[in-house]
């Protein structure tokens, strides 16, 4: 096994490490975060996938304790829907034959799946580490605003902002650091067509831009999921 293969294997193993440590939880139980009752079951899994603080509004923000950060990190790392997302992204890369050095078929799909999962694991882990150090909370809190444009403006800004312990928002150094780490470290195992620093910068920009765009999805997602929440989340 070559050096690049070992690096990739270690990244995937690190990402999977959270699975063994994540405490089991009944899907119907309620979880308390910051003293507030949280969504459970399928609805919580969906909110976790988008790194959202459930349907909580920004006015209800209270700082996370380190134990809460640890638990949220482990829970997010083993969210079943995350594997569905990775599988879908790998399928898109397979259809685009990206990178073209990797073959088609099951072997090529496996490499693409592992690559995306490794980058995801790095991003999550680095963001978790820096957010703990810098006391940044990257979860999305619903704006509580009224009207499409006020909510959309808040959502777009939230794509690059994190909350401090006092509730104020600033540029998210932890999120940017996590995305950058995933983008640049992936160059060590990706083939030559995608191994340049320019490719890493492009990947970083795409991911950050996607985060900004998905802020709008996060803002309106609780409205869309309300019927599902009433059925499965209680």
């Amino acid at each position: 096994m070559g050096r690049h293969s070992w690096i990739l294997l270690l990244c995937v193993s690190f990402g999977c490490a959270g699975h063994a440590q994540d405490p089991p939880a009944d899907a119907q139980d309620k979880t308390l975060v910051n003293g507030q009752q949280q969504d459970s079951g399928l609805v919580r899994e969906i909110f976790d996938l988008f790194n959202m603080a459930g349907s909580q509004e920004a006015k209800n923000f209270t700082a996370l304790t380190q134990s809460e950060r640890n638990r949220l990190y482990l829970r997010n790392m083993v969210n079943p829907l995350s594997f569905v997302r990775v599988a879908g992204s790998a399928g898109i890369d397979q259809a685009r034959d990206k990178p073209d050095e990797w073959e088609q078929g099951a072997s090529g799909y496996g490499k693409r799946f592992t690559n995306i999962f490794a980058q995801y694991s790095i991003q999550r882990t680095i963001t978790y580490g820096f957010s703990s150090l810098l006391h940044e909370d990257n979860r999305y809190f619903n704006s509580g605003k009224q009207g499409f444009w006020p909510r959309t403006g808040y959502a777009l800004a939230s794509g690059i902002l994190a909350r401090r312990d006092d509730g104020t928002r600033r540029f998210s150094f932890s999120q940017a650091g996590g995305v950058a780490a995933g983008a640049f470290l992936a160059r060590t195992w990706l083939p030559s067509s995608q191994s340049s620093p320019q490719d890493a910068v492009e990947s970083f920009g795409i991911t950050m831009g996607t985060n900004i765009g998905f802020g709008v999805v996060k803002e309106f997602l609780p409205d869309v999921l309300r019927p599902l929440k009433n059925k499965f989340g209680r």
Side-chain angles (χ1 to χ4, degrees):
M1 184 178 291
R3 178 174 63 89
H4 292 171
S5 298
W6 277 113
I7 294 174
L8 183 55
L9 180 60
L10 286 172
C11 289
V12 176
S13 299
F14 188 75
C16 293
H19 195 295
Q21 302 175 46
D22 195 33
D26 189 300
Q28 299 303 316
D29 286 345
K30 293 289 185 179
T31 302
L32 290 178
V33 176
N34 296 331
Q36 298 187 43
Q37 200 173 57
Q38 300 298 292
D39 307 294
S40 63
L42 177 60
V43 173
R44 191 185 73 178
E45 298 285 2
I46 296 173
F47 286 145
D48 284 352
L49 178 66
F50 291 99
N51 195 31
M52 297 171 60
S55 52
Q56 291 185 63
E57 295 183 358
K59 65 182 180 181
N60 296 323
F61 171 83
T62 55
L64 289 169
T65 65
Q66 189 56 48
S67 63
E68 288 170 340
R69 290 181 185 275
N70 298 343
R71 180 171 50 78
L72 288 171
Y73 165 72
L74 294 175
R75 196 173 78 195
N76 290 341
M77 288 293 286
V78 299
N79 184 337
L81 294 182
S82 295
F83 295 95
V84 175
R85 183 182 70 178
V86 172
S89 297
I92 293 173
D93 283 354
Q94 182 94 337
R96 297 172 59 193
D97 198 26
K98 176 185 176 182
D100 54 18
E101 290 94 336
W102 289 348
E103 65 275 12
Q104 291 292 305
S107 176
Y109 180 81
K111 292 177 181 178
R112 293 176 175 94
F113 182 97
T114 304
N115 165 55
I116 295 171
F117 180 68
Q119 291 192 52
Y120 170 82
S121 299
I122 291 171
Q123 290 176 16
R124 283 287 192 186
T125 301
I126 297 298
T127 298
Y128 157 75
F130 278 115
S131 64
S132 297
L133 181 65
L134 300 174
H135 294 273
E136 293 180 345
D137 189 340
N138 289 289
R139 293 175 302 157
Y140 189 89
F141 287 82
N142 191 273
S143 68
K145 298 178 180 292
Q146 300 295 321
F148 177 79
W149 291 115
R151 294 179 69 181
T152 299
Y154 168 92
L156 292 173
S158 296
I160 57 172
L161 300 177
R163 293 189 181 277
R164 306 183 186 204
D165 285 350
D166 62 3
T168 59
R169 297 198 296 171
R170 67 176 180 187
F171 179 76
S172 179
F173 293 99
S174 56
Q175 179 181 206
V179 172
F184 280 89
L185 287 177
R187 304 312 123 184
T188 63
W189 65 72
L190 283 167
S192 59
S193 66
Q194 295 187 35
S195 61
S196 71
Q198 291 80 4
D199 292 316
V201 171
E202 179 181 352
S203 176
F204 172 83
I206 291 173
T207 302
M208 291 299 293
T210 301
N211 289 343
I212 294 172
F214 263 94
V216 180
V217 175
K218 297 175 184 180
E219 174 65 19
F220 294 97
L221 189 59
D223 300 336
V224 176
L225 293 181
R226 189 166 291 115
L228 191 63
K229 177 181 177 181
N230 292 337
K231 185 174 182 180
F232 295 105
R234 297 190 182 282

